[in-house]
Amino acid sequence: MKLRSLSNLETDATARRLLGAYLIRKYNGVDLIGRIVETEAYDQTDPASHTYRGETKRNRAMFGPAGHAYIYHIYGMYRCFNVTSGPDGFGAGVLIRALEPVEGIELMRANRPRAKTDTALTSGPGKLTQALAIDMDLYGHELSRKPLQCVLQPAVASRLIKTTTRIGIKEGADRLRRFYIKDSPFVSTP
DNA sequence: CCGCAGATTGACT
DNA sequence: GTCAATCTGCGGG
């Protein structure tokens, strides 16, 4: 299944579909690979979304086609990474909240010197962008190519997916748009 | 284990 | 000027 096909799915379905996918970051000649274990859905119908009040310079990637990188600065020092979703013109994206480290762990540790354990390497949206060195220069990048690729895997069974409210928002806080793989030790919070 | 203060800056109102 | 889809270190239990 190709990443572009995400444009046919609703945002929640995309967020579920991205669970289990591999994120592959080529950095300094090394493949940093993580398996997506936690996601959140955001789209223009949702007051919690950056796209709720229309297109701006910051959010324009989410109004483009599916399968691109939407990256933004948060709290002055972190970045969050999203996979854009939905058809062209519809502002939607899926926040990648946590990964299971698969390959390149040594370099991830070097990228995240403050992480005390390997579970702290990628168990949060700001953590994983540090570990994989995802910066603003990748804004809008098409995720079917290097140096940052998202490779879908067979869909994770629904009974293995836990659905909850999202983290760190005020508006739309009651909506069940956070998804994670049950029993994964690498999620940000169970 | 838990709770909380502080860090730090781009983008929007 | 305000505030944010966060993380870390520190103090207490």
Side-chain angles (χ1 to χ4, degrees), chain A residues 25-40:
Chain A
R25 165 67 162 143
K26 192 88 164 179
Y27 184 66
N28 287 349
V30 179
D31 276 336
L32 300 171
I33 304 180
R35 178 174 174 256
I36 297 173
V37 298
E38 179 182 348
T39 59
E40 284 179 359

Side-chain angles (χ1 to χ4, degrees), chain A residues 11-12 14-16 18-19 23 36-43 48-50 62 68-74 78-85 92-99 124-129 165-169 177-180 188:
Chain A
T11 318
D12 287 9
T14 302
R16 292 170 166 275
L18 283 169
L19 291 175
L23 198 58
I36 297 173
V37 298
E38 179 182 348
T39 59
E40 284 179 359
Y42 291 89
D43 63 50
S49 174
H50 293 164
M62 282 198 283
H68 290 246
Y70 167 57
I71 303 163
Y72 64 92
H73 288 285
I74 187 73
Y78 299 106
R79 290 161 302 290
C80 290
F81 167 72
N82 298 244
V83 177
T84 64
S85 174
V94 173
L95 173 68
I96 308 303
R97 284 197 57 90
L99 303 173
K127 297 177 185 177
L128 68 92
T129 54
T165 54
R166 292 166 295 184
I167 310 286
I169 55 166
R177 307 195 83 181
R178 173 173 177 250
F179 309 93
Y180 65 85
S188 62

Side-chain angles (χ1 to χ4, degrees), chain A residues 52-181:
Chain A
Y52 186 61
R53 288 171 182 83
E55 184 171 349
T56 65
K57 174 183 174 185
R58 176 207 203 191
N59 67 23
R60 79 172 199 291
M62 282 198 283
F63 285 92
H68 290 246
Y70 167 57
I71 303 163
Y72 64 92
H73 288 285
I74 187 73
Y75 297 108
M77 54 178 82
Y78 299 106
R79 290 161 302 290
C80 290
F81 167 72
N82 298 244
V83 177
T84 64
S85 174
D88 200 357
F90 183 75
V94 173
L95 173 68
I96 308 303
R97 284 197 57 90
L99 303 173
E100 173 180 345
V102 171
E103 194 179 310
I105 296 181
E106 290 297 321
L107 184 50
M108 291 187 200
R109 289 187 188 121
N111 287 341
R112 263 183 63 63
R114 309 202 105 109
K116 295 184 184 64
T117 65
D118 282 356
T119 49
L121 240 28
T122 52
S123 56
K127 297 177 185 177
L128 68 92
T129 54
Q130 284 181 358
L132 300 207
I134 295 172
D135 222 319
M136 293 305 286
D137 55 353
L138 289 166
Y139 187 97
H141 173 74
E142 217 237 84
L143 295 166
S144 61
R145 341 185 297 253
K146 295 176 181 180
L148 180 60
Q149 292 177 268
C150 183
V151 180
L152 295 179
Q153 296 301 123
V156 173
S158 291
R159 61 181 185 81
L160 300 177
I161 299 175
K162 175 95 170 149
T163 304
T164 73
T165 54
R166 292 166 295 184
I167 310 286
I169 55 166
K170 297 170 70 177
E171 299 278 318
D174 55 324
R175 301 192 184 198
L176 298 171
R177 307 195 83 181
R178 173 173 177 250
F179 309 93
Y180 65 85
I181 297 180

